[in-house]
Amino acid sequence: MADALEGRAPIVWPDRLRVAALPPQARFVFRGDAEAAARAGDAFGATLPMTPCRAAADDARAALWLGPDEWLLLAPPGTEDGTARDIAAALADLPHALACVSDRHAALTVSGPRAETLLAAGCALDLDPRAFPQGMCTRSLLAKAEIVLWRHQPASFRLEVRRSFAAYVWDFLAEAAREHASA
Amino acid sequence: MLLIACPHCGPRDEAEFVCGGQTHIARPGPPETTSDAQWARYLFERDNPKGLHLERWLHRHGCGQWFNVARDTLTHEVKAVYGLLDTRPDVT
């Protein structure tokens, strides 16, 4: 399926702000209890965090805590079939649900020293690094649109947006970014 | 706007939640021994107090979990947040 944000040029205000669409990738929603999550983590290649609102990631894969029995798994594009097969095989005797949602979301990054200020235009969360440190992730609302927000680097947030909301969220951020155009 | 402390995610804006109405509603006994009036009370009749109200809330745009909130309908003070299956907290 075509990427919902395809063709959107990054919004760049040097040394302040950068908003950029991310390429397509494999996504899963995994649901199950702690034992199922531990085994799914082994099969997936990234630990499914048990701490609320935390993500575990390496260069290629990430597991984001969404709820006490719900995780969002991110993997390189094209790995859907293999990942689903691996997890299903490892959990054959445990109740769980694994849904491929690769095309449900579009992803973008908001980075730079003004990233928190930009997101605060539409998000009620306290995004100060003390309240929302690197590695924290959560579902929340941005200008009434549901997002998954993840501070994947010290000064960079990753947003996962429903694809039908992606253009709206992008346009909202572009509008909000205008006030950061001049220092 | 309420600030509700989700048991899993911590304090969040009211907009992330959905209110599920009054909590601790006991289902009446077997249908064959339950009167129409009892069913009507169970299905349709709800408290509407001025003051303490025990409610179910869903963190819809968060962890997706249901839990209970003891809230004052007059002052909007959230007096307690507790699990969906927990017993009634000691609040007034």
Side-chain angles (χ1 to χ4, degrees):
Chain A
M1 194 176 273
D3 188 2
L5 292 174
E6 201 170 9
R8 304 264 178 165
I11 302 164
V12 184
W13 307 127
D15 303 325
R16 295 194 289 278
L17 194 60
R18 177 182 158 86
V19 182
L22 291 172
Q25 74 170 100
R27 298 177 178 87
F28 294 89
V29 168
F30 177 84
R31 302 202 65 163
D33 63 13
E35 187 188 352
R39 234 193 271 176
D42 292 340
F44 177 62
T47 309
L48 274 55
M50 300 309 295
T51 312
C53 302
R54 286 295 181 277
D58 60 22
D59 291 340
R61 288 166 185 259
L64 282 68
W65 185 99
L66 293 183
D69 59 357
E70 184 179 5
W71 290 264
L72 177 67
L73 310 180
L74 306 176
T79 60
E80 281 90 346
D81 291 348
T83 301
R85 208 168 38 238
D86 292 347
I87 294 180
L91 285 132
D93 58 339
L94 274 181
H96 68 283
L98 182 73
C100 177
V101 294
S102 298
D103 291 324
R104 187 175 80 175
H105 294 170
L108 52 100
T109 55
V110 178
S111 53
R114 302 276 186 96
E116 293 147 28
T117 317
L118 177 68
L119 291 170
C123 183
L125 292 173
D126 184 353
L127 297 175
D128 186 276
R130 286 166 294 181
F132 204 101
Q134 182 182 2
M136 184 165 174
C137 64
T138 181
R139 237 184 328 231
S140 188
L141 292 172
L142 180 79
K144 299 182 183 175
E146 186 174 295
I147 56 166
V148 174
L149 184 65
W150 171 28
R151 191 195 278 269
H152 64 132
Q153 289 166 16
S156 180
F157 293 89
R158 180 187 172 112
L159 277 72
E160 293 272 334
V161 188
R162 297 288 171 120
R163 57 174 292 116
S164 57
F165 277 91
Y168 162 75
V169 166
W170 180 277
D171 290 344
F172 173 84
L173 290 173
E175 183 69 27
R178 285 172 57 196
E179 70 174 284
H180 301 288
S182 56
Chain B
M1 189 70 84
L2 297 174
L3 188 66
I4 299 170
C6 168
H8 302 286
C9 307
R12 294 293 179 92
D13 193 82
E14 179 187 348
E16 291 187 9
F17 297 86
V18 174
C19 183
Q22 188 182 336
T23 188
H24 301 305
I25 299 170
R27 193 176 196 274
E32 57 273 23
T33 60
T34 302
S35 71
D36 288 352
Q38 281 175 304
W39 274 116
R41 261 200 303 282
Y42 168 64
L43 290 173
F44 304 117
E45 293 181 15
R46 296 290 177 265
D47 296 339
N48 185 21
K50 180 180 177 182
L52 182 68
H53 194 217
L54 305 180
E55 300 168 330
R56 292 178 298 182
W57 284 78
L58 168 67
H59 197 184
R60 170 71 183 78
H61 301 292
C63 59
Q65 300 296 304
W66 284 96
F67 57 95
N68 285 323
V69 171
R71 183 174 69 91
D72 191 309
T73 58
L74 188 65
T75 64
H76 293 305
E77 183 192 356
V78 175
K79 298 193 162 188
V81 174
Y82 56 107
L84 196 62
L85 302 176
D86 292 353
T87 51
R88 202 175 288 245
D90 187 21
V91 289
T92 51

